[in-house]
Amino acid sequence: MYCQHCGKVVQEDMQYCPNCGYPLQNSPYVYHETDAPSFLFALISFFAPLAGLVLYIIWRKDFPQKAKSCMNGMICGIIAEILVTIFLMSYLSQNIMGVIINI
């Protein structure tokens, strides 16, 4: 049996995954050979967080490792967008104040 959350092999009689702690009751995970962490999907999710969210929702049960890659890319993308926005707002406000003072 495989963990539905992280995709690791677990024993049939276990109630929680020893790797991630996910409850295993009544949730048999069918392992897909194509399920693996994906840098490409993380990168897509980084630049298009909404696409990452959609992919995460679609894949979270059938392809948990790909879904986790999408979620990680999406979170990093949102954090990067917030930091860039803060930097640009700070930079622009300083330049605008400099122009106003010089007038």
Side-chain angles (χ1 to χ4, degrees), residues 23-80:
L24 301 172
Q25 303 172 15
N26 301 324
S27 62
Y29 169 63
V30 178
Y31 178 74
H32 294 277
E33 291 182 9
T34 59
D35 186 26
S38 173
F39 179 75
L40 177 63
F41 287 117
L43 191 62
I44 290 170
S45 300
F46 179 83
F47 289 108
L50 185 58
L53 178 63
V54 170
L55 290 173
Y56 174 77
I57 291 170
I58 292 171
W59 287 340
R60 68 182 170 180
K61 293 192 185 224
D62 295 328
F63 300 98
Q65 292 181 5
K66 280 185 183 178
K68 189 174 179 181
S69 295
C70 292
M71 180 61 74
N72 290 341
M74 182 182 69
I75 290 170
C76 291
I78 290 171
I79 291 171

Side-chain angles (χ1 to χ4, degrees), residues 83-101:
L83 292 175
V84 167
T85 302
I86 290 171
F87 173 76
L88 287 176
M89 295 299 286
S90 173
Y91 178 77
L92 291 174
S93 68
Q94 288 176 356
N95 285 342
I96 291 172
M97 290 304 293
V99 170
I100 292 173
I101 291 173

